[in-house]
Amino acid sequence: MTAMAWLSPPDEYFTHQVAYPHAMVGSSDPAWRERYWISIQDTAGKETVLTLGLGQYPNQNVQEGFAVLSTGGRQHNLRLARALAPHNDRMHVGPLRIEVVKPFQELRFILDENPSGLAFDITWTGTCEPVLEDRHFQVSGARVTYDAIRYVQLGRASGTLAAPGREYTLDPETWWSERDHSWGTRPLPRTQGAPPGERPEWRFLLFCPLQLPEFGLHFYLYEAEPGRPLHLSGGVAPRLGEGGEIDRVAGVEHDLRWVAGAPAPTLAGGRMTVTLASGRKLDLELTAHPGRAHLRGGGYEGWNGWYQGHWKGESSLEHEVWDLGDRDQFYRYAKAGSDHLVEVRHAGQVGYGVIEYLVLPGYPRYQEAIPPRPKAGQRS
């Protein structure tokens, strides 16, 4: 080694996986990242969704976070970033921090006072065992563009949440939640002068963590056409502490309904049949509710020059408020996907979760979900 590498507190523990200090990862790819995503919904009022996240890109020297709150026809967005080194071990960017109190059981999400007016102090409690997805490997041309893994866990939230003109007390009976933790290589947004990216082979995407009284279900599905999954991974998780194996998802059939005339694909409901490795089938009935947090507010696919994983200086903070009733802008807000609150019914049980979905031109089904192309001169 020809240069000094950063040492950080995790280097004191027996947790190394490669012959580097913890501040370095086993790949030099700039796209390597590690991220948390958390979504929290009010299942009583059914119109409020808070999504937050925190991630870091060791080879870009970037840690970043976001919080978006969708409620009452408006979305409050906050995006944050800092230089990662020398504090590579801290899950803390600007006013946002995440504390792991008890792994897989209890976490704490804190957003201190800041110019956006958003603030929270939330305790997250796991209700189901985490579901570890299969490794997701994807090649585009001559380059590995996706080599990552994640786990997803379902839980409940308690604490306080504030936005300009609104305050909430989170009761875990009605504030349900989902989270994931992923790490590995995934595509970064293109920079000026980079070669054009190839269009993905997939045309339909479902990211689907759902929670029912007796178990949790999660799957991640990419399809080129119905019944032809390019990636499918997930499973049914028992309640936390009850033991039992994860029953892996082996197949998903879906028949979804969409809101007619919506300015961006908007789920109305539908049915799904999930086949498990054990041979068991889960018939699910879905109803979508108004609560929907649009991920572009957190920087997904970029927003007005703010791109995930790109250097943004030693410290940066951006915020704005979107009017979700503005049909001329709604496609821009929703094009990177949303955390859409859904109610799920199965065998007399009622549960909740979120679904992230994308429908692209060329997929043989659900073309009614895709709005007409934007008018000439309209921003996308």
Side-chain angles (χ1 to χ4, degrees):
M1 186 174 292
T2 59
M4 183 67 70
W6 290 105
L7 288 173
S8 57
D11 287 306
E12 287 278 29
Y13 298 89
F14 291 169
T15 54
H16 295 82
Q17 300 291 313
V18 293
Y20 299 133
H22 264 283
M24 298 173 65
V25 292
S27 168
S28 61
D29 191 322
W32 202 101
R33 86 281 305 274
E34 186 161 10
R35 296 183 64 88
Y36 268 18
W37 160 91
I38 305 99
S39 189
I40 301 170
Q41 310 87 41
D42 175 10
T43 65
K46 297 181 172 58
E47 73 158 12
T48 300
V49 176
L50 170 70
T51 295
L52 62 132
L54 189 145
Q56 62 190 39
Y57 300 75
N59 298 323
Q60 298 282 80
N61 194 27
V62 170
Q63 185 175 96
E64 60 188 30
F66 73 90
V68 299
L69 175 67
S70 177
T71 187
R74 297 167 74 81
Q75 179 165 310
H76 300 263
N77 302 322
L78 173 66
R79 295 176 296 278
L80 306 158
R82 70 167 174 92
L84 176 60
H87 303 299
N88 305 65
D89 61 310
R90 297 182 185 177
M91 302 169 72
H92 189 169
V93 53
L96 175 65
R97 67 185 187 273
I98 294 178
E99 299 175 359
V100 179
V101 181
K102 296 179 181 178
F104 307 116
Q105 297 182 50
E106 183 179 326
L107 291 85
R108 190 176 174 203
F109 312 128
I110 300 167
L111 180 63
D112 293 325
E113 183 177 343
N114 64 86
S116 75
L118 288 176
F120 49 75
D121 187 343
I122 297 172
T123 296
W124 189 95
T125 303
T127 56
C128 296
E129 297 290 346
V131 176
L132 179 64
E133 291 183 8
D134 297 330
R135 185 175 178 181
H136 188 170
F137 186 83
Q138 185 174 314
V139 174
S140 178
R143 183 168 180 263
V144 174
T145 55
Y146 215 122
D147 187 7
I149 196 167
R150 70 159 49 78
Y151 61 82
V152 173
Q153 189 176 23
L154 303 165
R156 302 292 181 90
S158 61
T160 57
L161 166 64
R166 292 175 178 260
E167 292 186 358
Y168 305 86
T169 298
L170 279 58
D171 181 343
E173 291 297 316
T174 55
W175 288 81
W176 294 34
S177 181
E178 311 79 32
R179 72 179 185 105
D180 84 1
H181 179 186
S182 62
W183 58 97
T185 300
R186 293 158 55 189
L188 277 177
R190 290 181 60 244
T191 56
Q192 186 175 1
E198 296 186 19
R199 292 189 65 186
E201 187 179 355
W202 65 269
R203 293 289 181 268
F204 178 67
L205 177 154
L206 284 178
F207 180 85
C208 191
L210 303 171
Q211 185 174 175
L212 289 117
E214 295 179 359
F215 62 89
L217 165 69
H218 166 68
F219 67 82
Y220 201 3
L221 170 68
Y222 286 77
E223 283 187 342
E225 56 189 48
R228 184 192 162 202
L230 300 173
H231 176 77
L232 173 61
S233 184
V236 167
R239 301 284 294 181
L240 193 65
E242 292 184 356
E245 297 293 325
I246 303 293
D247 199 352
R248 308 297 295 181
V249 171
V252 175
E253 299 174 43
H254 47 84
D255 185 12
L256 304 178
R257 295 180 287 105
W258 306 88
V259 175
T266 300
L267 184 69
R271 294 180 178 276
M272 296 191 301
T273 298
V274 178
T275 301
L276 304 175
S278 64
R280 179 184 173 197
K281 289 183 180 290
L282 304 177
D283 293 316
L284 308 173
E285 181 180 350
L286 302 173
T287 302
H289 290 295
R292 187 178 179 190
H294 303 286
L295 296 169
R296 205 171 187 197
Y300 286 56
E301 287 196 12
W303 179 256
N304 293 348
W306 199 101
Y307 293 99
Q308 288 185 334
H310 288 196
W311 174 254
K312 305 169 191 70
E314 293 289 329
S315 178
S316 70
L317 182 153
E318 294 185 1
H319 65 96
E320 72 274 319
V321 180
W322 290 346
D323 176 4
L324 300 180
D326 186 344
R327 289 183 60 90
D328 291 337
Q329 294 294 321
F330 190 82
Y331 179 80
R332 293 186 69 209
Y333 302 156
K335 69 174 293 187
S338 311
D339 292 338
H340 197 164
L341 171 62
V342 296
E343 182 177 317
V344 57
R345 295 177 179 269
H346 166 70
Q349 299 183 54
V350 179
Y352 295 93
V354 292
I355 297 183
E356 295 177 16
Y357 48 82
L358 291 174
V359 185
L360 302 184
Y363 187 68
R365 298 184 69 186
Y366 308 144
Q367 289 302 292
E368 70 274 14
I370 301 178
R373 294 179 64 86
K375 298 176 183 178
Q378 185 174 338
R379 298 174 68 185
S380 63

